Amino acid sequence: MGTVVFGAVSHPSSSPSAEGDGDLRETLIDLFVSVARARPLGKALSFEGETYSYAALDVWSRAVAERLWAAGVRRGDRVALRMAPGAEVVAAMLGILRIGAAYVPLDVRNPPARNEFILSDSRVTAFVGDPGEGPPSGLSGLPLIGTDDVAKLLLAEASGGAAVDDHAPGPDDIAYVIYTSGTTGRPKGVPVRHGSVVALLESTSGLFSFRPDDRWLLFHSVAFDFSVWEIWGALSCGAELVVLPHWTARSPDGYLRVVREAGITVLNQTPTAFGAFADAALRRGEDLPRLRYVVFGGEKLTPAAVRPWAERFGTERPRLVNMYGITETTVHATFREWDRAELAGEESVIGPPLPGFVARVVTEDGRDAEPGEVGELWLSGPQVTEGYLERPDLNADRFPLGPAPDGGARLRYYRSGDLVSRRPDGDLVYRGRADLQVKLRGHRIELSDIEGAVRAHPGVVDAVVWVHEFGPGDSRLVCALVPSDGADGPGTRALREHVGGLLPSYMRPGRYLSLPELPRTVNGKIDRAAVARIFEEGR
């Protein structure tokens, strides 16, 4: 049946197609059951001192599936999933997938209005977990299986009924629907098929040396698709998934302690989260001998953000891997391991596309960019999703047909909205978001370039820059930052001198605001709208 351990036995081959399916014929449940049979006593999951074997998680998730089936959930249905981090959320997720349904995650930090929208837009048929203090009105009439109910099913004996196995998913079935977490506009549901996630695991199998004795940290919310990589990176190769408690994830010192004490070997981080983690590790002088990989994703990674870590730990253990990706292309789309040569430069190199992808760099006038020329990244392949849920007009714009490199049948691409350039060796360099480019006093400015310059100051952990209108005709760059010493930071004069040595005058912020932390969206990215509100309220 395919892969049990990455790099040992490969999945069936896949190739890009206009439909985006590829030739993959396995599902996530196929992978999990295969591992559970091969390593029944292996450690699959742990949370706060409790450990569950693959056999135990297999029986537990089957019991959840049978409970869902008894409640009327069927193959192709969508099930809302709202739980705080814990073993129960993984068992519930597997149970939903086992009967061919898709989970629709609701972050426990979501405001009620967002949950109301997601429940309505996704048309879920059941709810698993904790409805919260003010249950959404969209729950009316839906079967509800609470977190405590899922926990009790750990002690239940699955009947082994044929209903669950007879209605197991196929590779074209939807595994999950994750809603994009933009702070403005209408959230968009992204349905992702089993086959697309299997394609991700297949395409990365030869790039990493993941092993059954690895311990992965589930750091991210299940409402952020980085969690898909964390969960299935572990479970597909027989490794152990360590679930980080919700309150610990908010404390860099707290999750540093978990990484050290639990012997985490694979850590996945947004650059924002890693900045705080690295600062804590360097400040405390910690050694992390078990850590083998740090995988970056979700945001632009700059060499300046990694240099202090590399000076202390090097780049070989742990290995530092920059992976660009988007929910619409199933978590990760490129791979580039950073070494000292990359850290000596200033560019954010994201590497070549993963095997199976076709990548175009398209200029504003619609032609393919020359090497070194900046354009929008278009991606095609088996990891590309089918489009947004019930958004045909948007799908027509964001998922266009385009030419194949070999001149064959036209391919369906996803227009990422991200700007890149291609090096002569084929590596892609991330240049920023098209929607983070601003024009100020006649100059076209990439805000992330300014943020990178501010972060390069040794007294700064993180920074965000935007344009604030102080009055009619008076628009200026403003920067909010998190100081590394937890106090007021390096001061405006020192920051201006530092940034002045790196950037031209038109790219230098006019105001600086020190904050204890930058507010984030549920997927760990900086909430730019919330930062701007804090600045406005403090004026």
Side-chain angles (χ1 to χ4, degrees), residues 100-123:
Y103 69 92
V104 182
L106 304 172
D107 192 276
V108 295
R109 296 165 292 176
N110 277 354
R114 183 179 176 88
N115 286 344
E116 290 277 8
F117 174 83
I118 293 175
L119 289 172
S120 172
D121 190 66
S122 62
R123 299 196 298 276

Side-chain angles (χ1 to χ4, degrees), residues 74 76 105 112 211 215 230-231 237 294 306 375 421 452 473 487:
R74 296 294 182 264
R211 308 185 303 236
R215 306 190 85 192
E230 291 172 318
I231 293 167
C237 68
V294 178
V306 183
S421 61

Side-chain angles (χ1 to χ4, degrees), residues 443-480:
H443 297 283
R444 187 178 293 277
I445 298 171
E446 172 59 55
L447 296 179
S448 62
D449 288 344
I450 307 174
E451 292 164 357
V454 176
R455 291 190 193 106
H457 191 286
V460 175
V461 173
D462 207 354
V464 60
V465 175
W466 71 101
V467 176
H468 181 80
E469 187 174 347
F470 288 87
D474 183 16
S475 294
R476 283 177 268 163
L477 293 167
V478 175
C479 175

